Amino acid sequence: MKFFVDTADTTEIEALAATGLLDGVTTNPSLIAKSGKNFIQVIAAIAKLVDGPVSAEVIASDTRGMLLEAERLLGLGDNITIKVPLTMDGLRACKTLSDNGVMVNVTLCFSATQALLAAKAGAAFVSPFVGRHDDVGFDGMSLIADIRTIYDNYAFDTEILVASVRHPVHVLQAAKIGADVATMPPAVIRALANHPLTDRGLDGFDADWAKTGQSIL
Ligand code: G3P
């Protein structure tokens, strides 16, 4: 499973990139606004911090506008992935871009039929939002399972990029289903490593080692 971080906070991205565990970055207009940074400048900076795909989302709602914005964004780095919404205009833009070798992440996916269209449009990634599904009483993870089944039925190359991840259990469930990528806030990535028994065990090792009076170096 690839781990992407879902943020435009370059400090967080740099720290996670240093772990060697980060495979890419996703952003969206809300995350850009939250960063308080200039969109073009922050995407260009992020593209230099990681080698993996960096999703930059268009804001236009029509295909032509999306393609014009995509052209501008693609100039910011070789690893830029164009993010388009799951609308007919977005799918048309996706088809045009993917036919020209551009990586596209089709976002705001909330149904398996939408995901089927994204794959047919040649998307490199589809971003089904699990947390927002859960928020309204639907089982977001069942959507991931449905998409996995459909994509495997037809050997689609589109990667399932699980988004709107709120906690480690989302990552666990997505990994058991076989999703390709999970994009998550920095805090969730860090929470994946946490376990109280690990902490307790380490405290015990440290206490017992201290009694030996020895040092390794
Ligand atoms: O990449 C999509 C993600 O940022 C949405 O997350 O928590 O706003 O549903 P959330």
Side-chain angles (χ1 to χ4, degrees), residues 39-40 43-44 55-59 66-78 80-83:
F39 180 31
I40 298 300
I43 293 297
S55 287
E57 189 162 341
V58 297
I59 204 70
M66 291 176 190
L67 293 175
L68 289 172
E69 291 175 353
E71 187 177 359
R72 174 82 196 281
L73 295 173
L74 288 167
L76 301 176
D78 295 338
I80 296 296
T81 297
I82 299 301
K83 217 177 187 186

Side-chain angles (χ1 to χ4, degrees), residues 184-206:
M184 58 198 112
V188 174
I189 294 183
R190 288 194 290 270
L192 293 173
N194 297 342
H195 197 292
L197 290 181
T198 301
D199 297 341
R200 191 186 305 171
L202 200 52
D203 289 345
F205 289 161
D206 290 347

Side-chain angles (χ1 to χ4, degrees), residues 5 18 26 39-40 50 64 66 86-87 122 140 155 162 181 186:
V5 66
T26 54
F39 180 31
I40 298 300
V50 298
R64 182 176 180 280
M66 291 176 190
L86 217 151
T87 61
V162 181
V181 188

Side-chain angles (χ1 to χ4, degrees), residues 57-58 66 82-86 90-91 93-94 97 104-107:
E57 189 162 341
V58 297
M66 291 176 190
I82 299 301
K83 217 177 187 186
V84 298
L86 217 151
L91 291 167
C94 178
L97 290 166
V104 181
N105 178 357
V106 180
T107 190

Side-chain angles (χ1 to χ4, degrees), residues 38-49 54 75-77 79-80:
N38 171 276
F39 180 31
I40 298 300
Q41 290 172 8
V42 76
I43 293 297
I46 293 171
K48 293 185 177 72
L49 291 176
V54 174
L76 301 176
N79 53 343
I80 296 296

